[in-house]
Amino acid sequence: MRTKAREVAFQVVFASRFNEEENGLIRALYKRENLSKDDAAYADRVLEIVDSHAGEFLEIIDNKSVAFPESRLFAADKSILLVALAEIMYMDDIPAAVSVSEAANIASKYSSPKSASFVSGILSEVIKGV
């Protein structure tokens, strides 16, 4: 399952908001979570997409988040949205509904009590426009 790999990708994106040195962190998280080669390849793919398209994704988040500008979002919520947007926008082999569900689950685990519905709402608005 990719659930662990998604969580690790989220953790790397989140940590990168505070620290530029990712490579050691990435390998340490992959090892700690005992990711398979396939899951590590998936996480690498997500991280590459997030890195390449972060500006685009942040603009989408800003446009879809009516209540808060992107700059005021919790770093965890923003990181979760970046991972999910990478899947929705650039990974055709993953159904959008799976990306939304997984993002909501990660938000429930790592962010505020209202974050799961907030993240789901933003991503649902994105899917409508795709």
Side-chain angles (χ1 to χ4, degrees):
M1 270 196 85
R2 291 184 173 157
T3 300
K4 271 190 193 178
R6 276 185 187 89
E7 238 178 88
V8 170
F10 153 72
Q11 291 169 352
V12 171
V13 171
F14 179 77
S16 72
R17 310 212 64 59
F18 305 101
N19 184 358
E20 298 278 327
E21 294 296 319
E22 293 176 5
N23 285 335
L25 173 67
I26 291 169
R27 299 297 155 220
L29 285 171
Y30 288 11
K31 184 176 180 179
R32 184 188 79 194
E33 295 298 328
N34 201 23
L35 292 187
S36 69
K37 285 185 181 185
D38 288 342
D39 283 345
Y42 159 82
D44 285 340
R45 187 171 158 212
V46 168
L47 293 171
E48 181 181 311
I49 293 168
V50 168
D51 188 48
S52 298
H53 298 278
E56 172 191 354
F57 296 158
L58 292 173
E59 188 175 319
I60 290 169
I61 293 167
D62 200 39
N63 289 333
K64 300 298 181 185
S65 177
V66 179
F68 298 102
E70 167 271 321
S71 61
R72 292 191 54 218
L73 295 181
F74 290 137
D77 294 349
K78 191 182 306 186
S79 300
I80 293 163
L81 287 165
L82 290 171
V83 170
L85 286 171
E87 290 184 345
I88 291 167
M89 305 294 290
Y90 291 97
M91 299 174 81
D92 295 335
D93 57 324
I94 300 170
V98 170
S99 298
V100 173
S101 176
E102 290 284 329
N105 288 338
I106 293 170
S108 294
K109 184 173 181 178
Y110 289 97
S111 196
S112 73
K114 294 182 179 183
S115 289
S117 61
F118 174 77
V119 165
S120 294
I122 295 291
L123 295 174
S124 294
E125 286 299 314
V126 169
I127 291 169
K128 288 178 189 177
V130 174

